[in-house]
Amino acid sequence: MSFFGLDCVKKTERELERKLRANDREYNLSFKYATNAIKTSKYNVFTFLPLNLFEQFQRIANAYFLVLLVLQVIPQISSLSWFTTVVPLVLVLSVTAAKDATDDINRHRSDNQVNNRKVQVLIDRKLRSEKWMDVQVGDIIKLENNQFVTADLLLLSSSEPLNLVYIETAELDGETNLKVRQALPVTGDLGDDIEKLADFNGEVRCEPPNNRLDRFMGTLSYGGQKYPLDNEKILLRGCTLRNTDWCFGLVLFGGPETKLMQNCGKTTFKRTSIDRLMNILVLFIFGFLVFMCTILAIGNYIWEINEGSEFTVFLPREDGNTAGFSAFLTFWSYVIILNTVVPISLYVSVEIIRLGNSFYIDWDKKMYYSRNDTPAEARTTTLNEELGQIKYIFSDKTGTLTQNIMIFNKCSINGKSYGDVFDYTGQRLETSEYKDSVDFSFNPLADPRFTFYDHSLVEAVKLENPEVHAFFRLLALCHTVMAEEKKEGELSYQAQSPDEGALVTAARNFGFVFRLRTPDSISIVEMGKERSYQLLAILDFNNVRKRMSVIVRSPEGKLSLYCKGADTIIYERLHQSCSKLMDVTTEHLNKYVRSDLQEFAGEGLRTLALAYKDLDEEYFRQWRQRHHEASTALDDREGKLDQLYEEIEKDLLLLGATAIEDKLQDGVPQTIEQLSKADIKIWVLTGDKQETAENIGYSCNLLREEMNEIFIVSGNSLEDVRQELRNARTAMKPDAAENSEFLPVRILGNGVKVVMDEVVSGEYGLVINGHSLAFALERSMELEFLRTACMCKAVICCRVTPLQKAQVVELVKKYKQVVTLAIGDGANDVSMIKAAHIGVGISGQEGMQAVLSSDYSFAQFRFLQRLLLVHGRWSYLRMCKFLRYFFYKNFTFTFVHFWYAFFCGFSAQTVYDEWFITLYNLVYTALPVLGMSLFDQDVNDVWSFQHPQLYVPGQLNQYFSKNSFFKCALHSCYSSLVLFFIPYAALQDTVRDDGKDVADYQSFALLTQTCLLFAVSIQLGLEMSYWTAVNTFFVLGSLAMYFVVTFTMYSNGMFLILPSAFPFIGTARNSLNQPNVWLTILLTSTLCVLPVVTYRFLLIQMCPTINDKVMFKVRQAKATPPPPPRRARIRRTSSRRSGYAFSHAQGYGDLVTSGRFLRRPAMSLPSGFAHAGRSTTGFSPMGRSAGYSPTGRPQNTKVADVEVTSLQMFRTIADPAL
């Protein structure tokens, strides 16, 4: 680390492969690997001032005012004192610098705290306590329980059986459930023997530093042998050691090269559409400023030629000063004087407003989820007003629309369906109406919270039906769940997904209890008998395979492969003899949500197919050898393993299928209905299968039976997909053009293609699967897909990968000039969240990855309506009002100078007092406009929910646009004419009531600036819709402050102290005691606001906006209307089937097979079935009725005091006038 806080050593070549040797610092130093010191700070004591100022002056506004300051110190140009620019500029720079310094000091403290942590390092055959920053690549270090992992380590040995360690990765991925890692047996034998560890000289060759948290490839060479290394043998910096007394590790990557620091790259800077528009307007204002200065410079040139010679007697010219040179100097003088047309305080005010509106989101109790103690959080302060302009919402399904709490609901075994309950007439009953649940008392190891209502399934288990037993045996064996049994019978399961936990818990209750796993065995209790299966291989799940398999040897020596996965994937690999059973099973899956069973319309079942095959001993021996070779390959290891998996997972025999229920979150249908009324289009992007997604679409009101048609796109080729999209478009709009129609849009001089919105009669939905979506996203097809999808009210994309989610968002951003929002709760949603204009994370069951990458976060999807319809709309409305008023008051202020130039010989004399110029934006008009921008609201939150159409103007940029800006400029031009010429005419040939002259420059300046302040304050009052005590105090207080400061600065005392700075001695008391002056102020103020009042009156009467109509209703109501009774829940009929797909997460298969399991129980394993009653089941399993949740919280319980949503409180009032 250099003196200036920057790294001195820069690698000249990109590292292609890492080589290191244990306990050999000299060898490792030759590669110049990074030390373990980290540096996240930007500055130090010496670099702060120059670097911070350099960064601040990269902003156009700051650089502009620095140029003005330079111009003001040139005597020939400046007609204003330097402090008129220095004071606001220094204030802005100081505030920003203080904020940056505070942030950097905190980063320094954090860096120092981390770098100075202590860890035991093996040096010279002794363990020494060293600082983290002094640890180097190749060192062997010792970690103890609850310690943070110092660097990226290769685990060598640990205190646990089979050299396991347990780690918490919350700092990496937000997940608090423990993960397991295991050392190689060859290094595990080193134990904690310091002599053996000091003699260890293994060499590691591995991948270079990268940011892949889920992947590692390398080899360890030791004792003449090569051993493969993967992610399950690595401890990453940022993890915490848990439930492990000690472990030793070899440092592979240190400091900035660790995966944690490699993932700390800069997030894409998101800017609002108003920010982008502001940049365009500021450039236009600069151009307009130059235009005005050019006119005045030309005027000065003409005046000097025609009139200037007559004034040379008492204003002699300096030698060589011609009319042309005078015009040149005048140009720059007016650049200084008219600089307030781009006020520097604008940018400071914008940041204050955004910060304040962010606090409103954080403090909103109606977005607080008490069950999880989770408040809403605005993780950024720069995007608030964008929340009021959302047109497209892209939502994940599982965990976002649904609860991600899984309940084993139904199953199909060998062609027979289980789970439905019927009455004596054969009518199906809802489980909520049927109280007679299955009695599992025959199984002392059952989960007491599991409930199931179909007695025929447990009877089939007791009758030892071989297919039923095989079904549950598969569920008990084919998984990567970890079991922990601290006391006898007190089982708890830890699963990588709620789905697996639910399935294993179901098998447990039906008599097939997963009890323990070791690296090479799985112990289960089958109907009271303990059996141990030899675990030979796990063919793990990934996003491409969408299935997992285990290969086991039964106690009788029989080799079997058990496989479970998405039904479409399993069906492709079945033996041809299973065709009839497959048809029956598919029929059962479809029947689960058939239209005649309308009670199931809201369930959204996730299906999973189960299959098995017996293996030949000789074939498996050869396959296992090839598997070992592929797993130790450094090149294309994953590809070779996939080929082997494909080879063995074929000709499977179907056992049946499971159906797991994933219930909707509270308030989801109402929220989607409200957002749809606000003309927001919602697209659901999910990894689940088509039937599941469709079913959820119906149950949450995204798809409705009243829709004209719902189009299914499932083509298997480019042309099929193209034709299906065109057919859908033709059905919606028969006269639709063949090619897309574009709107010519130019942004900062660059032409951008924007696909036009096409109006269709009726409402339509579109469902497209992942395979077809891959074709639809190709360059030649993307516009076809976009046109068709945008004509639909709702779009559902199924079986999509995380990358496809981001591609869909990017496609809409590219061709539609709209604001997008993405919302999700899992790691598979991060790319989508980062791609959208606004990213929202749900703090749900899948960890905190989405929240960590989001701009806003909360606990429930239903809070989205409040975020958009209330906070978003208010923020956008306030920001637009602020900008309109800010430009108005500054343009008016500046244009008066322009008119005055024609009466002062274009001499660049100011029309106001210099102190007024300095304090106008900083003191006199700062707080009133901030008060309006922080507290104003057209209608309250209740009316906002009742009339979601109020949101539409934000989508259309109706509150602030280029047109609004030019109207504001014209209004300012008119006001400036009134503010200059009315006082000018009023003072001309006027005397005081005592006969003395009042028509001097200083009196005119005072009158003009007083009229200006009153006019802009009244205009502010007209802009405000919601007066509070704070607003009133700010407005009246600022006017009072003006008079206090004016009388103080124009007093005799100030003049005597510093005559040159306070020349307006006595002007205030001499002018403001005259009645004609106050009459002039009244007349001027009235004339300034009269056109505005007239225009608004005519507009409301002849062409009222949605805001005008609702505000009229509010005034008529005079009080908040009482809440109407709640609407009865409407059951919807659906003809769609449900499906299941694994979550987008790598499985634990490799970990399990190499000996990574939860802690070995201390007690022996009795069969458990000999015990009477249920006395041994006093444990606290993590799921209810197989409703497994990784958090262990109570699930699906009705809480009496759950807050009522605004939608439940107030029904939308249909108003034909709206």
Side-chain angles (χ1 to χ4, degrees):
M1 194 172 294
S2 73
F3 178 75
F4 290 102
L6 304 172
D7 292 332
C8 295
V9 180
K10 299 289 183 183
K11 295 186 180 181
T12 55
E13 295 182 3
R14 182 172 174 269
E15 188 176 347
L16 300 177
E17 184 183 53
R18 172 142 300 199
K19 303 175 185 176
L20 61 99
R21 186 179 299 155
N23 293 313
D24 193 341
R25 281 195 169 187
E26 184 178 351
Y27 172 78
N28 298 325
L29 284 172
S30 65
F31 296 103
K32 298 181 179 179
Y33 294 141
T35 65
N36 201 43
I38 64 166
K39 175 183 167 295
T40 60
S41 57
K42 296 167 64 177
Y43 318 106
N44 61 28
V45 175
F46 302 99
T47 61
F48 173 72
L49 198 58
L51 282 180
N52 187 261
L53 288 177
F54 175 73
E55 288 178 356
Q56 290 204 56
F57 283 121
Q58 286 182 324
R59 298 170 186 164
I60 295 177
N62 290 350
Y64 167 68
F65 279 90
L66 180 63
V67 172
L68 285 180
L69 181 60
V70 172
L71 293 176
Q72 280 184 286
V73 299
I74 303 174
Q76 292 84 354
I77 294 176
S78 180
S79 57
L80 278 175
S81 299
W82 54 269
F83 59 76
T84 59
T85 298
V86 167
V87 171
L89 180 61
V90 168
L91 180 64
V92 170
L93 294 178
S94 300
V95 170
T96 307
K99 174 180 171 293
D100 292 342
T102 303
D103 291 344
D104 209 58
I105 288 171
N106 291 333
R107 284 191 288 263
H108 271 287
R109 287 175 180 166
S110 176
D111 290 349
N112 291 334
Q113 180 186 4
V114 172
N115 288 331
N116 288 300
R117 287 175 180 164
K118 295 298 184 71
V119 68
Q120 296 184 72
V121 185
L122 184 59
I123 301 177
D124 297 331
R125 313 185 80 81
K126 292 182 180 178
L127 282 175
R128 297 181 181 177
S129 181
E130 296 283 338
K131 294 179 179 178
W132 275 28
M133 61 190 298
D134 297 326
V135 173
Q136 297 183 13
V137 172
D139 288 350
I140 292 178
I141 64 176
K142 180 182 180 181
L143 298 176
E144 295 180 344
N145 193 33
N146 295 326
Q147 273 191 334
F148 286 108
V149 177
T150 309
D152 288 356
L153 308 176
L154 169 64
L155 180 61
L156 297 179
S157 61
S158 85
S159 59
E160 298 305 294
L162 301 169
N163 295 297
L164 295 174
V165 298
Y166 304 92
I167 56 173
E168 183 182 283
T169 60
E171 197 168 324
L172 287 175
D173 56 19
E175 295 184 358
T176 55
N177 54 311
L178 298 185
K179 297 179 175 60
V180 189
R181 299 290 185 265
Q182 185 188 32
L184 287 167
V186 66
T187 60
D189 294 339
L190 301 174
D192 58 349
D193 189 323
I194 301 301
E195 292 300 321
K196 288 183 179 179
L197 289 164
D199 291 333
F200 178 69
N201 62 350
E203 292 191 16
V204 174
R205 297 168 69 97
C206 64
E207 60 189 21
N210 60 74
N211 61 359
R212 290 285 301 274
L213 294 173
D214 59 344
R215 182 177 177 273
F216 180 85
M217 291 183 63
T219 58
L220 170 67
S221 300
Y222 179 61
Q225 297 288 326
K226 268 191 177 183
Y227 304 93
L229 302 178
D230 56 26
N231 203 46
E232 308 309 325
K233 299 174 182 64
I234 305 299
L235 305 182
L236 297 181
R237 179 178 182 136
C239 299
T240 307
L241 198 65
R242 300 291 190 200
N243 301 339
T244 307
D245 293 335
W246 54 262
C247 73
F248 285 88
L250 172 65
V251 177
L252 302 179
F253 303 108
E257 295 178 342
T258 58
K259 290 183 182 288
L260 173 66
M261 298 304 295
Q262 292 279 313
N263 275 282
C264 291
K266 293 182 180 179
T267 305
T268 305
F269 179 65
K270 294 182 177 181
R271 299 169 61 195
T272 67
S273 56
I274 285 185
D275 278 336
R276 293 188 289 271
L277 177 59
M278 281 289 298
N279 284 340
I280 299 172
L281 295 180
V282 167
L283 291 176
F284 168 79
I285 292 170
F286 283 152
F288 186 63
L289 175 63
V290 172
F291 173 71
M292 286 194 297
C293 293
T294 303
I295 290 177
L296 297 179
I298 294 172
N300 177 266
Y301 176 80
I302 297 172
W303 188 89
E304 286 288 344
I305 291 177
N306 296 333
E307 307 288 341
S309 57
E310 298 179 10
F311 290 85
T312 54
V313 175
F314 63 93
L315 284 176
R317 294 177 179 169
E318 295 183 14
D319 294 338
N321 276 10
T322 63
F325 186 66
S326 174
F328 174 77
L329 295 179
T330 299
F331 175 86
W332 294 109
S333 297
Y334 274 111
V335 167
I336 296 170
I337 290 175
L338 304 179
N339 75 78
T340 47
V341 79
V342 187
I344 194 170
S345 57
L346 170 68
Y347 297 94
V348 181
S349 301
V350 165
E351 295 307 316
I352 294 173
I353 294 166
R354 286 172 171 167
L355 182 64
N357 286 313
S358 297
F359 282 136
Y360 290 152
I361 296 172
D362 295 340
W363 297 338
D364 192 341
K365 291 183 179 180
K366 293 181 180 178
M367 295 174 66
Y368 169 72
Y369 191 54
S370 57
R371 191 177 301 176
N372 293 348
D373 188 27
T374 307
E377 181 184 5
R379 300 171 56 82
T380 180
T381 61
T382 59
L383 302 172
N384 295 327
E385 65 269 19
E386 199 94 316
L387 291 170
Q389 297 181 278
I390 303 299
K391 182 66 176 178
Y392 285 85
I393 292 177
F394 301 93
S395 174
D396 177 41
K397 183 187 77 67
T398 305
T400 303
L401 300 177
T402 61
Q403 297 180 22
N404 200 22
I405 297 175
M406 308 303 172
I407 300 174
F408 184 84
N409 193 292
K410 296 181 177 67
C411 62
S412 171
I413 304 176
N414 195 34
K416 183 175 181 181
S417 177
Y418 297 94
D420 291 331
V421 181
F422 302 91
D423 63 12
Y424 66 94
T425 64
Q427 295 296 315
R428 183 190 170 279
L429 296 176
E430 277 196 81
T431 54
S432 59
E433 302 169 356
Y434 190 74
K435 306 300 182 184
D436 185 18
S437 61
V438 172
D439 180 13
F440 291 106
S441 58
F442 74 93
N443 179 2
L445 295 176
D447 182 343
R449 299 182 183 181
F450 179 91
T451 56
F452 198 77
Y453 295 94
D454 187 355
H455 292 260
S456 63
L457 182 56
V458 75
E459 293 302 324
V461 171
K462 291 179 179 179
L463 292 173
E464 298 185 359
N465 184 306
E467 289 81 9
V468 173
H469 277 211
F471 181 90
F472 286 112
R473 185 179 297 115
L474 186 152
L475 292 181
L477 293 172
C478 185
H479 55 79
T480 56
V481 174
M482 306 293 178
E484 191 170 16
E485 191 171 4
K486 293 181 179 178
K487 294 181 182 179
E488 184 178 334
E490 290 190 7
L491 277 171
S492 64
Y493 292 147
Q494 200 166 42
Q496 67 167 349
S497 72
D499 309 82
E500 284 217 311
L503 294 172
V504 176
T505 304
R508 165 185 174 179
N509 273 64
F510 283 100
F512 290 75
V513 185
F514 166 58
R515 196 76 179 271
L516 174 71
R517 73 163 71 246
T518 68
D520 53 9
S521 69
I522 298 178
S523 296
I524 65 175
V525 177
E526 295 185 6
M527 301 303 292
K529 298 178 181 177
E530 182 186 340
R531 291 169 62 86
S532 180
Y533 288 80
Q534 184 181 359
L535 180 61
L536 301 173
I538 287 187
L539 285 56
D540 206 1
F541 164 84
N542 63 37
N543 289 336
V544 178
R545 285 169 41 76
K546 288 188 168 51
R547 64 190 184 279
M548 74 161 291
S549 301
V550 294
I551 300 176
V552 297
R553 190 190 305 275
S554 70
E556 295 78 23
K558 184 179 178 182
L559 268 179
S560 300
L561 179 146
Y562 292 108
C563 181
K564 68 179 181 183
D567 49 10
T568 53
I569 301 295
I570 299 297
Y571 287 171
E572 295 171 358
R573 289 159 177 79
L574 292 180
H575 190 274
Q576 59 184 10
S577 63
C578 296
S579 58
K580 288 186 178 181
L581 179 58
M582 183 179 71
D583 293 339
V584 175
T585 303
T586 304
E587 183 181 343
H588 289 162
L589 295 178
N590 290 333
K591 187 186 70 174
Y592 288 154
V593 284
R594 188 168 292 168
S595 58
D596 59 339
L597 302 178
Q598 69 176 32
E599 298 93 332
F600 275 77
E603 286 193 351
L605 303 182
R606 296 156 66 90
T607 58
L608 181 71
L610 312 181
Y612 78 102
K613 69 181 287 190
D614 295 327
L615 298 175
D616 176 70
E617 195 77 42
E618 178 61 25
Y619 168 76
F620 177 71
R621 186 186 63 79
Q622 297 176 1
W623 183 90
R624 195 175 190 184
Q625 176 61 33
R626 287 182 287 142
H627 180 267
H628 176 73
E629 294 171 358
S631 64
T632 56
L634 279 179
D635 297 329
D636 193 26
R637 180 186 298 178
E638 293 176 357
K640 292 176 180 177
L641 288 173
D642 282 341
Q643 288 181 1
L644 284 170
Y645 294 166
E646 286 285 346
E647 176 188 320
I648 201 168
E649 291 174 323
K650 61 183 181 182
D651 294 332
L652 303 176
L653 301 177
L654 183 64
L655 276 174
T658 61
I660 299 176
E661 181 181 353
D662 186 7
K663 290 190 173 181
L664 282 176
Q665 290 185 14
D666 294 336
V668 168
Q670 296 92 332
T671 300
I672 289 179
E673 183 180 357
Q674 280 288 82
L675 296 175
S676 297
K677 290 179 180 177
D679 201 25
I680 298 174
K681 295 188 177 182
I682 301 174
W683 294 18
V684 173
L685 312 177
T686 177
D688 280 343
K689 66 183 300 178
Q690 177 180 317
E691 292 81 358
T692 305
E694 283 185 64
N695 177 259
I696 291 294
Y698 276 98
S699 60
C700 69
N701 279 344
L702 187 64
L703 301 177
R704 296 187 298 277
E705 297 292 351
E706 307 88 65
M707 284 185 167
N708 297 60
E709 191 171 351
I710 293 169
F711 304 104
I712 309 295
V713 178
S714 55
N716 293 317
S717 68
L718 188 68
E719 287 306 315
D720 288 347
V721 174
R722 188 192 307 275
Q723 192 59 46
E724 289 178 359
L725 290 173
R726 287 183 176 174
N727 292 343
R729 193 165 64 251
T730 303
M732 288 185 284
K733 190 176 181 182
D735 57 342
E738 188 71 20
N739 297 317
S740 302
E741 298 180 36
F742 293 99
L743 282 172
V745 176
R746 299 190 69 80
I747 298 177
L748 292 178
N750 299 320
V752 179
K753 284 185 175 181
V754 176
V755 177
M756 292 178 60
D757 286 329
E758 299 182 59
V759 180
V760 297
S761 58
E763 292 186 352
Y764 299 87
L766 178 70
V767 179
I768 182 170
N769 62 37
H771 187 68
S772 301
L773 185 62
F775 293 116
L777 291 175
E778 290 187 12
R779 184 171 295 275
S780 61
M781 274 278 290
E782 58 184 14
L783 286 177
E784 290 276 356
F785 168 63
L786 184 65
R787 282 187 67 196
T788 306
C790 289
M791 293 166 73
C792 298
K793 188 72 174 177
V795 177
I796 297 178
C797 302
C798 323
R799 294 293 200 199
V800 295
T801 65
L803 177 60
Q804 285 179 324
K805 290 185 178 184
Q807 287 175 331
V808 171
V809 176
E810 292 288 358
L811 178 63
V812 174
K813 284 175 62 179
K814 181 179 179 182
Y815 290 112
K816 304 287 289 185
Q817 198 177 17
V818 294
V819 181
T820 59
L821 179 146
I823 179 169
D825 73 318
N828 56 329
D829 303 315
V830 169
S831 56
M832 172 178 72
I833 286 172
K834 288 185 174 181
H837 292 102
I838 302 281
V840 177
I842 299 284
S843 50
Q845 303 289 339
E846 293 189 15
M848 298 289 287
Q849 302 96 318
V851 170
L852 295 174
S853 302
S854 66
D855 304 306
Y856 300 89
S857 66
F858 41 71
Q860 293 281 290
F861 181 84
R862 69 174 184 269
F863 296 148
L864 182 62
Q865 63 174 325
R866 186 166 183 84
L867 181 70
L868 300 187
L869 302 185
V870 178
H871 291 289
R873 201 180 65 83
W874 281 350
S875 295
Y876 173 68
L877 185 65
R878 290 165 180 165
M879 182 62 72
C880 293
K881 280 190 174 185
F882 165 79
L883 292 174
R884 291 200 307 262
Y885 175 74
F886 210 96
F887 282 126
Y888 166 76
K889 76 182 181 68
N890 281 279
F891 284 1
T892 304
F893 174 89
T894 306
F895 288 166
V896 174
H897 277 300
F898 183 79
W899 308 126
Y900 182 64
F902 291 89
F903 293 84
C904 68
F906 304 96
S907 60
Q909 183 183 16
T910 59
V911 72
Y912 311 116
D913 171 27
E914 289 183 353
W915 282 108
F916 180 80
I917 295 173
T918 304
L919 300 176
Y920 178 71
N921 279 310
L922 291 180
V923 178
Y924 301 147
T925 60
L927 288 179
V929 70
L930 283 178
M932 178 186 71
S933 307
L934 291 174
F935 303 112
D936 195 44
Q937 48 183 262
D938 53 352
V939 295
N940 62 23
D941 55 346
V942 174
W943 287 95
S944 296
F945 282 131
Q946 286 190 2
H947 299 279
Q949 306 94 325
L950 286 168
Y951 191 83
V952 175
Q955 300 170 333
L956 304 176
N957 294 307
Q958 289 183 354
Y959 294 145
F960 187 74
S961 60
K962 293 176 186 175
N963 289 337
S964 304
F965 173 78
F966 288 120
K967 288 178 183 177
C968 172
L970 288 174
H971 182 202
S972 299
C973 184
Y974 164 79
S975 296
S976 65
L977 285 167
V978 172
L979 287 167
F980 176 76
F981 286 103
I982 297 296
Y984 179 81
L987 289 184
Q988 192 173 22
D989 300 327
T990 303
V991 295
R992 291 163 46 89
D993 51 10
D994 58 4
K996 294 181 180 179
D997 190 10
V998 75
D1000 60 277
Y1001 161 72
Q1002 292 185 346
S1003 298
F1004 174 71
L1006 175 65
L1007 177 57
T1008 306
Q1009 64 197 35
T1010 306
C1011 290
L1012 170 69
L1013 200 58
F1014 271 94
V1016 297
S1017 297
I1018 295 172
Q1019 180 65 35
L1020 179 71
L1022 292 175
E1023 289 287 343
M1024 269 196 288
S1025 305
Y1026 185 62
W1027 282 85
T1028 65
V1030 176
N1031 287 17
T1032 306
F1033 174 76
F1034 282 169
V1035 173
L1036 298 180
S1038 295
L1039 286 172
M1041 177 66 70
Y1042 165 72
F1043 287 109
V1044 170
V1045 172
T1046 299
F1047 277 99
T1048 301
M1049 288 188 171
Y1050 294 178
S1051 66
N1052 296 1
M1054 298 300 292
F1055 176 78
L1056 293 175
I1057 294 172
L1058 196 61
S1060 61
F1062 302 99
F1064 279 51
I1065 178 172
T1067 305
R1069 63 175 179 267
N1070 289 333
S1071 296
L1072 295 178
N1073 63 356
Q1074 297 301 305
N1076 63 330
V1077 170
W1078 287 102
L1079 287 171
T1080 304
I1081 294 172
L1082 177 61
L1083 176 62
T1084 307
S1085 303
T1086 304
L1087 289 175
C1088 281
V1089 300
L1090 187 60
V1092 179
V1093 174
T1094 305
Y1095 173 76
R1096 292 187 180 178
F1097 174 77
L1098 294 175
L1099 192 66
I1100 291 174
Q1101 294 301 317
M1102 301 172 65
C1103 187
T1105 64
I1106 178 68
N1107 296 67
D1108 297 328
K1109 296 176 182 178
V1110 175
M1111 290 174 71
F1112 177 72
K1113 277 189 154 191
V1114 173
R1115 286 192 295 270
Q1116 280 187 320
K1118 293 184 180 180
T1120 304
R1126 294 185 185 179
R1127 289 184 298 179
R1129 183 176 177 181
I1130 299 173
R1131 296 198 180 278
R1132 298 188 179 276
T1133 302
S1134 170
S1135 58
R1136 302 297 183 266
R1137 59 164 279 198
S1138 298
Y1140 174 90
F1142 278 34
S1143 57
H1144 292 286
Q1146 190 73 25
Y1148 286 167
D1150 293 338
L1151 181 149
V1152 171
T1153 53
S1154 55
R1156 310 147 183 79
F1157 58 97
L1158 289 180
R1159 303 173 68 85
R1160 185 195 300 274
M1163 78 294 291
S1164 59
L1165 293 178
S1167 65
F1169 279 79
H1171 298 281
R1174 302 186 70 164
S1175 59
T1176 61
T1177 59
F1179 54 89
S1180 300
M1182 304 190 70
R1184 168 181 90 64
S1185 67
Y1188 175 83
S1189 167
T1191 62
R1193 298 190 181 100
Q1195 301 151 12
N1196 294 340
T1197 54
K1198 294 285 186 181
V1199 180
D1201 59 347
V1202 172
E1203 67 273 26
V1204 180
T1205 65
S1206 297
L1207 259 178
Q1208 292 170 323
M1209 291 173 60
F1210 302 104
R1211 188 189 321 135
T1212 302
I1213 298 175
D1215 179 13
L1218 296 184

